[in-house]
Amino acid sequence: MRSPSPLQPERFDLGLRREAMFSVPDAAGIEILCRNGIVWITLDGDPRDIVLEAHDRFTTTEHRRALIYAMQPSCISVQAPVSASRRRRAGHGLVLEQLPH
């Protein structure tokens, strides 16, 4: 069995129940893909509301916290860029936090 390449980006697949909320502390370069369902994304200090339906993607270059809220049962993929994957091995990088609702 081959181990993953150290240059391979990290990806997390998440099943979210209705009204579940997650936080990505620094969303810069992170790709969020809505596999099914509907999720609402907001970035700290950004007046936009981003709504993703099945097969929609969102990426930002802004170093802001992103809140992801499931408007209905949903499945998302969150992919960190290669540089964040390397930071994660060093103890930094992509972190998802489940928030109480």
Side-chain angles (χ1 to χ4, degrees):
M1 176 170 22
R2 239 171 59 181
S3 62
S5 162
L7 298 179
Q8 180 179 353
E10 292 188 41
R11 187 178 105 189
F12 299 86
D13 295 324
L14 302 169
L16 304 173
R17 69 183 189 287
R18 183 175 180 265
E19 298 180 352
M21 193 175 343
F22 283 86
S23 173
V24 178
D26 182 354
I30 303 296
E31 179 182 81
I32 300 165
L33 166 65
C34 181
R35 294 190 167 282
N36 61 52
I38 301 173
V39 296
W40 169 65
I41 300 170
T42 187
L43 301 173
D44 283 353
D46 188 327
R48 296 178 296 161
D49 288 324
I50 298 108
V51 176
L52 302 182
E53 296 181 1
H55 310 292
D56 289 343
R57 297 173 188 270
F58 174 75
T59 304
T60 185
T61 58
E62 299 290 325
H63 289 278
R64 300 171 189 248
R65 179 180 65 150
L67 293 178
I68 304 166
Y69 176 82
M71 297 175 74
Q72 64 184 48
S74 303
C75 181
I76 62 171
S77 292
V78 181
Q79 185 161 332
V82 171
S83 59
S85 297
R86 289 182 184 150
R87 284 194 305 270
R88 179 173 162 75
R89 282 191 286 281
H92 311 293
L94 180 62
V95 177
L96 293 179
E97 302 170 328
Q98 185 172 4
L99 302 174
H101 60 89

